[in-house]
Structure formats: C-alpha cells, structure tokens
Amino acid sequence: MGLFFLFSRLKKKTVKAIALLLIVLFFPKLVSTNYTLTSRRYSFAAYDYGENILFSLRPDSILIVYGDSPQFILWYLHLAERMREDITLISANNIAWTVPAKHIRWPKIGEFKRKTPFFKSLFQMNPDASVYLINIPVSYTHLTLPTN
C-alpha cells in the first residue's frame, strides 16, 4: 500500500519507471541478504525449552502455565505433537472461563468449589498429584472462581 501511495504522488512517467526499476532490481537482493540472517529454520530453542519442561515432570502431574511464550510452546507440544499426554496442562491466563468447562478437557480433576481460592481447591482435590506452576503472578494465588 505504501508503494502505491508513492507512485500516485510521482508525476512524471520517467520518474515512475526509474523508481519501479530500482525496486525490482534491489528487492530480490534485500530479501536474499536478510533471509539468512532472520531465518529461524534451524532454531529449536522453543521446542527444546518445552520438551525439557514436559519431560522433567512426574507422571500424571498438573502443570499450570501463565504467559503466552511458555503456554503456546507447551500447548503445541502437548496437543499437536502428543507429548506427555498423561499431564494435565492448565492455562492460568484464562482460568475463569476454562475451569467451568474443565470436565471436558480435564476429566481427572475434581469439581471446583465456588468462592474458594482456585489453587487451594486444586490442591485439596488432588493431594497425590504433583502440581507445577510456571510464571504464576502472586496475585493469582488468591484467585476465586466466578459464581454462575
């Protein structure tokens, strides 16, 4: 869209032709030069990070994640790559709306009590499970579920 605006501002056809020629000549050079610098084709840092987290957990544990970076990496590995399907992966970003529908996604977690702090009920209902927290803010420790 920016190039169309610039071309509409140019008045003479020769200036337009020269500008178009420069763009056509230099664009492939810019792409080929910068592609190798910006390509993440062989970067497996995120994959390795998520794999290390998942394989360091005990069997049948509960993992509560807050934040987009670790959450999307772990979701991908857990749901798409089917790594560690024995683990229950809960997103702390949207606990308020995922917990009421949790019986669909996490059948082994018990029924949550309303007006009880989320983590307290989670620990009370799963005393034998290992619960792991990643990036959980302190304000979430007193989180209560909405009453519906």
Side-chain angles (χ1 to χ4, degrees):
M1 184 161 162
L3 290 177
F4 290 120
F5 174 75
L6 289 175
F7 281 124
S8 68
R9 302 290 288 184
L10 296 174
K11 301 294 182 194
K12 296 181 181 179
K13 288 186 179 184
T14 55
V15 176
K16 285 183 182 182
I18 292 171
L20 184 62
L21 182 65
L22 289 174
I23 290 171
V24 168
L25 289 177
F26 287 115
F27 185 73
K29 175 65 177 159
L30 291 173
V31 170
S32 66
T33 303
N34 292 324
Y35 180 77
T36 56
L37 296 173
T38 59
S39 174
R40 298 287 182 247
R41 184 176 184 183
Y42 300 107
S43 175
F44 297 101
Y47 189 90
D48 293 340
Y49 170 73
E51 197 174 53
N52 289 338
I53 289 174
L54 289 178
F55 286 111
S56 66
L57 303 176
R58 292 183 180 160
D60 297 320
S61 58
I62 299 169
L63 177 62
I64 302 172
V65 183
Y66 180 84
D68 290 345
S69 297
Q71 177 181 324
F72 292 135
I73 293 167
L74 292 170
W75 272 351
Y76 170 75
L77 292 175
H78 187 70
L79 300 173
E81 297 282 331
R82 299 207 173 272
M83 280 188 196
R84 294 298 306 267
E85 292 183 296
D86 60 318
I87 293 172
T88 302
L89 187 59
I90 300 175
S91 169
N93 291 356
N94 48 17
I95 283 178
W97 62 268
T98 54
V99 168
K102 61 99 191 123
H103 62 280
I104 298 167
R105 183 77 188 112
W106 314 302
K108 63 183 174 183
I109 294 180
E111 191 60 40
F112 286 94
K113 298 172 186 167
R114 299 291 177 187
K115 295 188 177 182
T116 304
F118 170 75
F119 291 108
K120 183 178 179 182
S121 355
L122 181 69
F123 294 133
Q124 286 174 349
M125 290 182 295
N126 303 285
D128 298 332
S130 299
V131 179
Y132 298 91
L133 309 173
I134 297 179
N135 294 341
I136 303 295
V138 176
S139 62
Y140 270 59
T141 56
H142 303 293
L143 177 72
T144 57
L145 298 175
T147 56
N148 290 346

